[in-house]
Amino acid sequence: MVIVALILFSAEFAIYTFSELKWKMSFHYRLENKALAVTRLLLEVEEVDANILRLIEKNNLATLPFEEIHIFDTNNQEIFSSKDSACLVIAPCVIANIKTSGEYAFRQGEYTMVGFPYIENEKQFIVVAGAIDVYGMRKLSNLRNILIIVFVISMIILFLSGRIYATRALRPILKVIEEVGVITESTLHLRVNEGNGRDEVARLAKTFNEMLARLENAFNVQQTFIANASHEIRTPLSHISGQLEVSLLNERSTEEYVRIIQSVLDDIISLGSTANRLLLLTMTDSDSFHFPMENIRIDDQLWDAKAELQKLHPDCKILIYFEGNFEREDSLTTFGNDQLLRIVFMNLMENGCKYSQDHQIQVIIEQLDSMIQIHFKDNGIGIPKEEQELVFEPFYRAKNVDKQQGSGLGLSLVKRIMTLHGQTISLVSEPGKGSEFTLYLSTYHS
Ligand code: ADP
């Protein structure tokens, strides 16, 4: 509305200004011509004197409204006035101005005035004429009124039609806003009506629906994660309290107490490990945690992981082999966080031992250009094909696991740590034959 108002106002202003200018010029021209004709008649026609001229002027139908013509001689004495009782008083300075600057136009009250010098028989006369442009002023006032009315009516029509069309155009968006407004975390399954499915509003609604689907999915994943996490923590806790309650029922032998304490200790260790993994999962998933990265030796971390794991599981056999040429210092160096990489190595080694009868795992370090591949190979129970993707999800455990304890968090942590390092992991496995996890680590880092 403001833009249209400005355009309309500018157009009307231009129309009015040009009309006023044109009208003034034309009136000025007519007044000047009239004054010139009267002056000529008086000064050039001998038979015409001031009285006759006044008489002629009185009866002249072409006389302008309130017209007055004054003629002054060289001594500034008025020799002619077209009216017996003139209203206009011509100031001496006006005559002086005409003498110095020639033709001179000005306004005196409501009068439009024009003055010019006139030379006759080498004598200079000064002619000053004035009239009120009654007709022009009335015309201009009419024009101004018409323009104001047109402006106001246009604005009213514009306002009303704008409101009607804007409301009609925005109605579908208001509907979408209303529908989105009622969606809360408990009604994330609701969707917005996609209308005709073709226009921009339909596209907006579709985009909202897609976003809702993503939110719902993320929300469900989070809910499941929380449920799984609390289950993983509650199970060992209830196991611990159950064992302690039973042991308190009767007096028991020392051996029995030792067995119960050992079992409780195992549960506490498993609980601690689950809590640590959960914490690490959250930390590796969040942008706000910063893990310091540096160039580290892969072989050192592998030996450390092996030593640490064998402390926890002395029956676990870990065989480490090197394949290729590792003469250069940086051929076994990668850029990363030593603690996180050690966790990756330990998890894969532990799984290899845990899920194979011989409790043995081979770790083969292979060098390829600027990359190192570390294979963790076992001859264990393997993972069914359809579950090979899923085992990297938190809390997922394959159906073929038997009595082996676990929380299903190790591989998801491994995957996240590898992603955090910008590196990858792959899995080849066959149920009953064994599994091979391969880590791909780039070695060169300046
Ligand atoms: P956890 O071992 O605690 O159950 P992980 O995340 O480490 O959790 O492993 C997820 C699942 O992947 C395991 O439950 C198991 O089914 C399967 N898995 C992992 N490593 C192996 C392996 N080396 N051999 C067979 N199955 C494995």
Side-chain angles (χ1 to χ4, degrees):
M1 258 195 85
V2 171
I3 292 169
V4 176
L6 281 177
I7 294 171
L8 197 62
F9 180 79
S10 310
E12 291 194 351
F13 184 75
I15 290 170
Y16 182 81
T17 313
F18 284 123
S19 304
E20 188 185 27
L21 193 71
K22 198 178 152 237
W23 195 255
K24 273 184 183 166
M25 276 167 67
S26 117
F27 188 74
H28 185 269
Y29 179 72
R30 276 159 61 207
L31 183 63
E32 194 177 347
N33 276 354
K34 184 70 195 302
L36 193 62
V38 169
T39 310
R40 273 194 194 137
L41 216 54
L42 182 76
L43 299 178
E44 288 177 18
V45 184
E46 274 182 22
E47 291 80 13
V48 177
D49 65 3
N51 287 331
I52 295 176
L53 195 54
R54 252 196 302 274
L55 205 63
I56 295 171
E57 275 304 296
K58 221 183 224 172
N59 297 305
N60 187 354
L61 292 177
T63 302
L64 297 168
F66 303 97
E67 180 190 287
E68 281 186 32
I69 298 167
H70 301 264
I71 302 173
F72 299 86
D73 65 7
T74 344
N75 303 322
N76 295 354
Q77 287 303 311
E78 192 175 68
I79 57 164
F80 174 74
S81 167
S82 61
K83 284 259 176 76
D84 298 333
S85 49
C87 295
L88 283 172
V89 179
I90 311 299
C93 63
V94 171
I95 298 169
N97 265 347
I98 297 168
K99 274 185 179 169
T100 49
S101 58
E103 195 175 321
Y104 182 52
F106 59 101
R107 283 192 75 84
Q108 189 167 314
E110 285 190 324
Y111 281 81
T112 300
M113 305 289 292
V114 59
F116 54 87
Y118 187 87
I119 305 208
E120 177 66 28
N121 293 334
E122 291 174 4
K123 278 195 210 153
Q124 193 190 45
F125 296 88
I126 297 297
V127 183
V128 181
I132 298 177
D133 187 6
V134 179
Y135 181 61
M137 281 191 329
R138 203 176 300 141
K139 250 185 118 176
L140 274 177
S141 153
N142 283 344
L143 178 66
R144 193 171 49 232
N145 290 343
I146 289 169
L147 290 178
I148 290 172
I149 291 168
V150 166
F151 184 82
V152 172
I153 291 176
S154 306
M155 283 301 106
I156 292 172
I157 292 174
L158 189 68
F159 176 77
L160 294 177
S161 56
R163 264 196 92 88
I164 293 167
Y165 282 103
T167 315
R168 197 174 294 173
L170 292 176
R171 197 175 297 142
I173 297 184
L174 291 173
K175 233 179 128 225
V176 172
I177 292 172
E178 238 170 61
E179 285 175 5
V180 172
V182 297
I183 298 176
T184 61
E185 68 270 27
S186 56
T187 52
L188 276 177
H189 59 279
L190 291 179
R191 292 293 178 267
V192 177
N193 184 1
E194 291 181 12
N196 62 11
R198 284 191 308 274
D199 58 14
E200 278 72 15
V201 180
R203 276 171 57 196
L204 178 77
K206 203 163 165 253
T207 313
F208 261 126
N209 284 344
E210 285 164 4
M211 189 189 72
L212 282 170
R214 284 197 299 272
L215 276 179
E216 190 186 10
N217 189 33
F219 201 71
N220 287 343
V221 168
Q222 205 186 25
Q223 297 271 19
T224 320
F225 185 88
I226 293 168
N228 284 332
S230 57
H231 172 77
E232 285 304 321
I233 289 170
R234 257 202 330 261
T235 311
L237 277 178
S238 52
H239 197 220
I240 291 170
S241 60
Q243 288 183 90
L244 294 178
E245 275 166 17
V246 171
S247 69
L248 283 176
L249 288 178
N250 301 311
E251 190 123 330
R252 290 167 199 276
S253 66
T254 315
E255 291 81 42
E256 229 172 315
Y257 279 127
V258 169
R259 190 189 56 74
I260 289 167
I261 289 172
Q262 187 57 52
S263 170
V264 168
L265 190 63
D266 286 347
D267 281 335
I268 289 174
I269 290 171
S270 138
L271 193 62
S273 146
T274 305
N276 277 343
R277 284 176 175 182
L278 276 174
L279 184 67
L280 265 170
L281 260 183
T282 318
M283 284 164 78
T284 48
D285 204 27
S286 154
D287 291 337
S288 53
F289 284 100
H290 177 69
F291 293 95
M293 302 269 191
E294 57 185 341
N295 283 329
I296 48 171
R297 291 274 306 213
I298 294 171
D299 50 341
D300 286 351
Q301 300 309 320
L302 277 169
W303 293 120
D304 286 356
K306 176 183 171 174
E308 241 175 274
L309 191 69
Q310 276 180 331
K311 252 192 261 166
L312 295 170
H313 305 287
D315 59 331
C316 184
K317 286 193 270 310
I318 303 160
L319 310 168
I320 299 180
Y321 303 101
F322 289 86
E323 273 181 17
N325 179 12
F326 294 98
E327 274 167 19
R328 276 181 45 212
E329 168 74 13
D330 60 8
S331 57
L332 273 167
T333 308
T334 190
F335 189 70
N337 181 283
D338 52 351
Q339 283 180 359
L340 293 182
L341 283 182
R342 220 166 34 242
I343 288 170
V344 170
F345 299 156
M346 276 181 73
N347 274 320
L348 294 175
M349 287 174 181
E350 189 184 6
N351 280 352
C353 293
K354 195 160 69 172
Y355 297 110
S356 53
Q357 281 200 328
D358 56 0
H359 302 300
Q360 179 173 305
I361 177 147
Q362 295 179 42
V363 181
I364 302 147
I365 304 141
E366 191 184 358
Q367 200 208 1
L368 291 166
D369 300 327
S370 61
M371 163 140 307
I372 268 206
Q373 290 186 5
I374 313 175
H375 308 272
F376 295 80
K377 232 171 160 178
D378 64 62
N379 302 314
I381 58 170
I383 303 170
K385 186 115 194 86
E386 64 282 5
E387 289 182 286
Q388 288 179 8
E389 284 269 310
L390 297 170
V391 289
F392 291 100
E393 296 295 326
F395 302 106
Y396 192 85
R397 307 200 72 208
K399 294 195 179 67
N400 61 346
V401 292
D402 193 15
K403 285 190 222 68
Q404 299 92 340
Q405 294 238 318
S407 57
L409 288 171
L411 282 183
S412 54
L413 190 57
V414 166
K415 180 101 187 247
R416 283 210 193 151
I417 293 175
M418 291 305 281
T419 311
L420 193 76
H421 283 77
Q423 316 287 359
T424 49
I425 180 170
S426 72
L427 163 64
V428 178
S429 181
E430 209 177 309
K433 286 201 170 163
S435 311
E436 180 174 339
F437 289 89
T438 306
L439 301 180
Y440 301 85
L441 295 168
S442 48
T443 50
Y444 172 74
H445 208 283
S446 57

